[in-house]
Every structure is written in structure tokens, then in C-alpha cells.
Amino acid sequence: MAEVIRMPKMSDTMIEGVIANWLKKEGDVIKSGDIIAEVETDKATMELENYEDGTLLYIGVKVGEAVPVDGIIAIVGTPGEDYSSLLAGAPAAPATAVEASPAPIASETIAAAPAAPAVDLSSIPAKAVRMPKMSDTMVEGVIAKWLKQVGDVVKSGDIIAEVETDKATMELENYEDGTILYIGAKEGEGVIVDGIIMIVGEPGTDFQPLLQQAIAPVAAPAPATPVAVAASAPVKEAPKVTESKATPSGIQSDSKGGIIKASPLAKALAKEKNINLNWLQGTGDGGRITKSDVENYKPSAGGATGNFVSGEESFEDIPNSQMRKTIARRLSESKFSAPEFYLTMEINMDKAMEARVSMNEVLPVKISFNDMVIKAVALSLVKHPKVNSYWMEDRIRVNKHVHIGMAVAVEDGLLVPVIRFASEKSIAQISAEAKELGGKAKNKQLQPKDWEGNTFTVSNLGMFGIDQFTSIINSPESCILAVGGIKETVGVKNGQFYATNIMKLTLTCDHRVVDGATGAAFLLTLKQYLEDPIKMFI
């Protein structure tokens, strides 16, 4: 029986996809797992994977044409089979069929517009395993690695995959007993929270009704753009729909603006080695760049100075990681909702520098200036609890405990592991914990307990040579402290010039919670601790 392949929703904002390249043609025999086309979405060029065995009977879209999400792009079946009823019942909608409408499109659409008859899912001996919400900010997870495959017998408690969230790579635990019948996401592919990642049940079970009816109601966490696809003629019987999956890959153009063809493994390896695909000559079919092309690349043969042609434009679009998406969303919400103001104060670090040398002579861990700042901040928050507060819309929550978030730069963005009860810990304990958390952050080993619950955040760019900067508040916190570098300068005292060391601190405050005088008083206390460190230990 002929089956329809529709345009899948490959991103949370995708409305339509453009066929960048067909890799198969009508009459070709294809099987599950074959890459049949390359699709350009609003965010990336992605490989469209087939999930049905048969002959490609019909291709309804030409290269360069757009198809709305859920529109027909191809039909797979038996040679000579009459598939005209499928086209008559649910024609492929051209791009012009997308019209403004108050009806929203679901995040993942599997069935055509007419609803299929209700099926008693309780009679099907299979269960859908969905993507859990692994952090408070997670909206989707990327399958970093599958530890099981279709056909494996699993039980509750088994680790089935490793999932990359916006903050860490975490193990995914199974909670159903049975055989894996279906895996809905390939390695490197994102799945929204509560989206189906696999189906477990009795071998031989027809799980298609479970897919068709269980996936459709799942809506994306973020509201979709209100659009609707023009209605087609009524369908007496909805055809079986094949949900094609796609592996995301960054759009890279060559010097003439064309799309560079490369395997997903080659793209991942090139990103890891910091190699631009423009520099490579593919040896695969049709000039496709393969893993071996990346491995055999010699910088001396080209690169930034060798393969770019002077006077010709080129560019590289890099898809946003889960971490970068979350940073953008969270900080945009904070920046455009909180009325912020900024307070800057200079700190004389001469005594702090002397104290650090003395501490490092006797303590088992090496104390950094950032450790000293965190310790001083924690003690200052105890004296100024209003700065250690949350804005909760209908109330202000004044936190009695002090959990300091420590901003850590990683490859994909920024993580904020938390030093809990910092005001109650020694500076040596803070130093040891900061080093441990920083290492876990860079290796993507943080767990939810490591990043949740911060009441105040410290962001330090002094080690990068930054004298002064401002930070955006990490909502729902009320303040964040930006720490600049220590700079040797000239001071004046009693008409005499002398060498001294200055560090600038900038406190960003949410004016809904913290007033100017409150923020200034906090900074003054912090200044007293840092300019005379002995006060932190008595």
C-alpha cells in the first residue's frame, strides 16, 4: 500500500521547508534510513531521512520549491500502484497556500488536517517514551548518544541514551519494560520536552496508531507563529503518514553561495577540529565531504588564507545550540522585563593581594581573587538580605540562605554552577568547590543539583583583561555582580603619588526590588571586606 511522506516540522519556528536537493529520483528503490533529500528550513539545511521501504513513486516538489509543514513531498509504494486517490484526498500544498490565520500550528504535526478516527490506545501493547524535562529551563533535548537500539529488550531503570540539554549531558533512564520497537530521533537530533523519543512494547506490535495520535497533541513549549495551511478537500480515509526525520547541520555556503554537501559525521568532526567546510574538497558522491576528507585535511594545503577567493562573498551559518537558545531566551526575558540600573565602585586590592599570597602559603588549595570575591559577596549578602531576593511578580522573596551562582564560560556559551551556603563555608572550601564545579561545567558533567537554586550571581571577566562591564540579571534574582580585572595604577594620598592596584565592581540591580541606596550599601560592605580581608575571618 502506498504511503505518504510529508514535510516534518524540523524546528520550533519552522512553517515551511525548501527542497535544496533531491538525492533520489522517481523509480528508485529506497529503504528505511536512506537520505532522500536536503531541506532548507528557517534555521539550517537538514537531511531528510526516509522511514519506509519501497519504490519512490511520486515526487511532488521540485528543487527550490517550498512546502508547508505537513505538506506532501513524496509517495512510496509498489511499482505500478495507483496512488492518485492519495493526491486527490490530500494534495501537496504549494507555498502560496500558507495564509495568515488565528489557528496555530502544533509543534509536531503527523496527521493531515482531517482528524483520523479515534483509536483505543489502551488496547495496543506498547508505550511511548517521551523526552523528560531535565532542568528548569529545558525546552528540548538533543540525543547525544543512543545506548540501545531497535530490537533490544529493556527494563525500567536501564540507561537508554545520553541527552544534551541546555546545561549538561545527562543519562536518560527508561521507565518501561519491553522491546524497543521504534526510535524517533537520531543522534544529534533535538526532541522537544514531552516529544516521543521511542516506543517500547511487545515485538510485532503495530505502533503506528500510537504515533499518529500520541504525537499530534504535543505542543511546543514556546508559542508558535499563528498560521494555517489552506484546507484541502475532505478525506474519507486519512492515508498512513510517514514521519520523516532530519538531522540538523549548519548551513555553509561556498564562495558562490551554494550549499556545501557533507555527511553529518563530517560536519560534527569539522566542528570539533575547528575546520571550515569551505576549505575541503569532497571525495564522496556528488562531491559530498566525508569523515575521511576532514581527517585528511592538512592546514598547509589551504584554510583561512588559501581557499577563500579575494573579492567574493562567503559566509557560514552556525545553528544555535540548546545552551545558546536558552541563554538568549532567559536573558532577553530579564533584560526587557526588569528595570535595571547599575552601580560601579573601585576597590583597592593592595591588602587583598598580600592576603592571597599569605593564604596560598598555608592553605591546601590555591586561592584565587574570584574565591575572595565570592566569600566577601556571601558575607555582604547576609548583612543586606534585600539584595539576596527574588522578584516573584506578586511578592518579593527574601532568601535567608546564600547560594552564589558562579558564571563559567564554556565552548557553547555560559553555565552558572552554584556554591551552596557560601556564607557558611571557609574560603578554602569555596575555592575547592569552585574548581570542581568549573571543571564539571567545562566537561558538561553538571547535574541539576549543581546549577539550581542560586540566589545571587557573580560574573568575572577580569582574567580576560576586561577592566569594567555590566551583566544582565539572572532572573528571578534581583542583582548580579560584574567583576573586572585588577589594574595597577597611580594613586594620590596627602599630595604624594604612589603605585596601587584597583579593581572595578559593577552591580546590576532590579529596581523593582533593590533601590539605589540599598545597592550602594551592599557595595560599601563588599568594599570593606575586600580592602581589609582580615574582616572576612573574624
Side-chain angles (χ1 to χ4, degrees):
M1 178 180 176
E3 294 169 356
V4 174
I5 298 178
R6 297 183 181 273
M7 177 64 71
K9 190 175 180 69
M10 300 174 179
S11 77
D12 53 347
T13 59
M14 178 177 170
I15 298 173
E16 64 180 23
V18 175
I19 301 296
N21 186 29
W22 277 108
L23 304 179
K24 301 292 182 180
K25 62 181 183 297
E26 289 184 2
D28 283 355
V29 176
I30 57 177
K31 58 183 179 180
S32 178
D34 285 351
I35 304 300
I36 59 174
E38 294 175 338
V39 176
E40 183 178 346
T41 73
D42 57 331
K43 294 183 177 178
T45 295
M46 310 174 77
E47 294 179 338
L48 187 67
E49 183 177 352
N50 170 57
Y51 274 76
E52 291 295 332
D53 296 341
T55 299
L56 195 54
L57 304 178
Y58 169 81
I59 291 178
V61 188
K62 296 179 181 179
V63 172
E65 289 185 349
V67 183
V69 169
D70 204 36
I72 291 178
I73 54 177
I75 293 178
V76 176
T78 304
E81 185 175 356
D82 182 9
Y83 56 83
S84 58
S85 60
L86 299 182
L87 291 177
T96 53
V98 179
E99 302 175 354
S101 167
I105 283 183
S107 173
E108 295 186 32
T109 307
I110 300 303
V119 175
D120 181 10
L121 300 180
S122 63
S123 64
I124 300 176
K127 297 282 188 180
V129 177
R130 296 181 179 272
M131 177 65 71
K133 189 177 180 70
M134 298 177 171
S135 78
D136 54 340
T137 58
M138 177 178 171
V139 294
E140 70 176 1
V142 173
I143 302 296
K145 183 180 181 181
W146 277 109
L147 304 179
K148 303 291 183 180
Q149 58 188 357
V150 173
D152 285 354
V153 176
V154 293
K155 59 183 179 180
S156 180
D158 286 351
I159 304 301
I160 56 175
E162 295 176 357
V163 175
E164 180 184 346
T165 72
D166 55 314
K167 295 182 177 179
T169 298
M170 307 175 68
E171 293 181 336
L172 182 65
E173 184 176 343
N174 174 54
Y175 45 86
E176 298 290 346
D177 294 340
T179 300
I180 298 179
L181 307 177
Y182 165 86
I183 288 179
K186 295 174 63 178
E187 291 183 358
E189 190 170 303
V191 182
I192 63 169
V193 169
D194 206 33
I196 288 181
I197 53 177
M198 74 177 194
I199 291 179
V200 175
E202 296 180 4
T205 299
D206 180 11
F207 54 82
Q208 287 299 327
L210 192 64
L211 273 181
Q212 294 173 8
Q213 292 201 13
I215 295 180
V218 178
T225 304
V227 296
V229 180
S232 60
V235 183
K236 292 184 178 180
E237 183 179 351
K240 180 181 178 182
V241 178
T242 299
E243 180 193 11
S244 296
K245 296 291 181 181
T247 301
S249 58
I251 302 175
Q252 291 198 13
S253 71
D254 56 23
S255 60
K256 300 184 184 301
I259 300 299
I260 294 178
K261 299 177 182 178
S263 70
L265 190 56
K267 292 172 184 175
L269 187 60
K271 180 179 179 181
E272 178 182 332
K273 292 178 174 290
N274 198 27
I275 296 174
N276 192 312
L277 293 179
N278 280 290
W279 306 341
L280 306 181
Q281 183 66 44
T283 59
D285 294 340
R288 178 178 290 266
I289 296 171
T290 64
K291 175 187 174 185
S292 60
D293 294 328
V294 179
E295 292 176 333
N296 296 331
Y297 170 71
K298 299 293 188 296
S300 59
T305 59
N307 280 16
F308 288 109
V309 181
S310 176
E312 292 191 1
E313 296 180 353
S314 64
F315 63 90
E316 177 182 0
D317 287 346
I318 302 174
N320 290 326
S321 65
Q322 306 310 307
M323 185 185 302
R324 181 54 57 187
K325 291 177 185 177
T326 300
I327 290 172
R329 178 173 56 84
R330 291 289 302 278
L331 295 187
S332 293
E333 289 172 357
S334 175
K335 183 66 176 177
F336 298 120
S337 63
E340 297 178 348
F341 68 92
Y342 312 95
L343 300 172
T344 300
M345 184 172 282
E346 287 188 350
I347 310 295
N348 187 302
M349 294 294 287
D350 290 344
K351 289 186 177 180
M353 295 173 71
E354 294 174 1
R356 177 172 176 263
V357 172
S358 298
M359 286 188 287
N360 283 336
E361 289 177 353
V362 297
L363 291 177
V365 293
K366 294 298 181 182
I367 304 301
S368 69
F369 289 112
N370 197 56
D371 300 331
M372 299 178 72
V373 170
I374 291 174
K375 175 66 176 179
V377 165
L379 295 175
S380 300
L381 289 173
V382 173
K383 293 188 175 183
H384 302 276
K386 198 68 174 288
V387 179
N388 195 44
S389 300
Y390 290 159
W391 173 257
M392 307 289 288
E393 295 299 336
D394 62 337
R395 64 194 183 280
I396 294 173
R397 175 172 295 170
V398 180
N399 295 300
K400 303 298 184 180
H401 58 281
V402 176
H403 291 347
I404 302 293
M406 179 185 67
V408 177
V410 295
E411 182 180 356
D412 294 332
L414 192 71
L415 292 174
V416 186
V418 180
I419 298 176
R420 299 180 180 281
F421 304 105
S423 60
E424 304 171 22
K425 293 179 177 177
S426 69
I427 194 167
Q429 289 174 313
I430 289 174
S431 179
E433 195 168 331
K435 289 178 174 60
E436 179 186 3
L437 290 171
K440 290 171 70 175
K442 293 181 184 299
N443 295 325
K444 291 189 174 182
Q445 295 175 339
L446 292 174
Q447 297 301 306
K449 63 181 178 62
D450 297 324
W451 69 64
E452 293 175 345
N454 42 304
T455 61
F456 185 96
T457 298
V458 173
S459 180
N460 192 339
L461 292 179
M463 67 286 292
F464 297 107
I466 302 299
D467 293 334
Q468 180 184 350
F469 67 104
T470 59
S471 292
I472 300 174
I473 295 170
N474 190 11
S475 179
E477 296 173 18
S478 299
C479 297
I480 184 171
L481 184 71
V483 182
I486 299 174
K487 184 177 182 180
E488 187 174 20
T489 187
V490 176
V492 181
K493 185 175 183 180
N494 299 326
Q496 301 295 315
F497 294 98
Y498 65 97
T500 188
N501 296 276
I502 297 297
M503 180 175 70
K504 291 184 179 180
L505 304 177
T506 300
L507 183 69
T508 303
C509 304
D510 183 343
H511 215 323
R512 295 173 299 182
V513 181
V514 177
D515 297 324
T518 304
F522 167 80
L523 280 180
L524 183 59
T525 300
L526 182 58
K527 177 183 177 73
Q528 292 169 351
Y529 279 130
L530 289 173
E531 289 191 341
D532 193 5
I534 192 66
K535 293 180 180 179
M536 290 192 284
F537 308 108
I538 57 175

